[in-house]
Amino acid sequence: MKIFDSVMKLQTCFFRQFGNSVVRADYLTLRKAFILNHNLTPKYDFHSYMIRSMEEEFQKIVGVSKQLNARFEFFAVAHYGDLSWLSCSLMSKVWILQ
């Protein structure tokens, strides 16, 4: 029974991440406290601030520099035709395994 409970918890947590991760009341409370603490106007775009700060934090954690990202994008665009066969080949192998 323990294994079944563990599997059910794992599935529940996995699918819960795709839903609303923060309760609306908690978000509004956090927004109001942030605005009051920083003496901002009530029309401050808190959502944009949160997205921007999470992107900056993610970039620091992962460590992908802008130069590396630009090189990857150039490579992906320049060699798209050369690599398209690879993705088709991998997808066919995935279908065979299923």
Side-chain angles (χ1 to χ4, degrees), residues 65-75:
S65 66
K66 290 182 181 179
Q67 293 88 5
L68 181 61
N69 191 20
R71 288 179 187 167
F72 174 75
E73 289 175 1
F74 174 75
F75 176 79

Side-chain angles (χ1 to χ4, degrees), residues 20 22-33:
N20 294 333
V22 178
V23 180
R24 181 169 172 79
D26 292 341
Y27 172 79
L28 292 175
T29 304
L30 180 64
R31 179 184 182 278
K32 186 175 183 179

Side-chain angles (χ1 to χ4, degrees), residues 83-97:
L83 297 177
S84 62
W85 65 270
L86 180 64
S87 64
C88 293
S89 174
L90 291 176
M91 287 305 292
S92 65
K93 289 180 182 176
V94 169
W95 280 102
I96 291 170
L97 292 175

